[in-house]
Amino acid sequence: MHSILGCNHPTFALPWRTLLPSLVALHLLHLGSAQLRVVAPSRVVTAIVGQDVVLRCHLSPCKDAWSWDIRWIQHRSSGLVHHYQNGVDLEQMAEYKGRTELLRNGLSDGNLDLRITAVKSSDSGLYSCAVQDGDNYAEAVVDLEVSDPFSQIVHPWKVALAVVITLLVGSFAVIVFLYRKQAAQSRELSESFQPLPPPKSL
């Protein structure tokens, strides 16, 4: 009997030895899910009017986000720039319709990148990338700065002013040229018609 119990003892102890690492791993996994974060590698993204731009965010630790609820939100209006859930694109703000795309080829790796095409000056501002899967929720903020290099010189009133000044300067130059030409012609005429001196008397 003693030998049977002795032989069986390891068999009873084995599940506890294998269970302990499993419990530790499960606990660490739980902590990891509680500390889920969304990371923005570039907090500030710059673009020029008319360009396409990608706002980048990813999950940390990396998880497959294909079935998650992903929202890109514009801070200024609190409106939805893009809303994705479980493989489907949902409603969004009218001004972004047809101009945004969640890059799905990176979702399985935890990437939440959003492309905005043909950016406008009005697109400038802060954007939140918010994700949720059950009790897991996290978000990050990206600042999009859109510049218009021609905005300072293409104002209609500036164009009109430049045209008026050009016309005035051109008209003044023409008037001066005609005046000088007429004065020169007058001098030539007056010189050609000068009376001959009287003949000398003998």
Side-chain angles (χ1 to χ4, degrees), residues 97-200:
K97 281 192 175 180
R99 294 202 300 125
T100 64
E101 177 191 5
L102 190 71
L103 303 183
R104 301 190 185 192
N105 57 350
L107 287 175
S108 58
D109 296 323
N111 295 316
L112 314 168
D113 302 341
L114 179 76
R115 176 186 288 124
I116 303 176
T117 60
V119 293
K120 309 173 183 178
S121 296
S122 58
D123 293 336
S124 293
L126 298 177
Y127 292 79
S128 281
C129 175
V131 296
Q132 185 167 6
D133 179 44
D135 294 333
N136 292 320
Y137 177 85
E139 64 178 305
V141 176
V142 179
D143 185 7
L144 174 60
E145 296 180 354
V146 181
S147 60
D148 185 353
F150 304 104
S151 62
Q152 301 302 316
I153 60 174
V154 183
H155 292 299
W157 68 268
K158 289 187 176 181
V159 174
L161 181 61
V163 170
V164 170
I165 291 175
T166 302
L167 289 175
L168 289 175
V169 171
S171 299
F172 179 76
V174 169
I175 291 171
V176 170
F177 172 76
L178 292 176
Y179 175 78
R180 289 182 176 178
K181 185 176 181 180
Q182 186 176 7
Q185 289 176 345
S186 297
R187 281 196 303 271
E188 290 176 0
L189 287 173
S190 63
E191 290 174 358
S192 63
F193 286 103
Q194 283 184 355
L196 294 173
K200 293 181 180 181

Side-chain angles (χ1 to χ4, degrees), residues 62-74:
C62 294
K63 292 178 177 289
D64 186 347
W66 184 265
S67 62
W68 287 38
D69 186 301
I70 304 170
R71 305 179 188 214
W72 280 91
I73 303 168
Q74 184 192 65

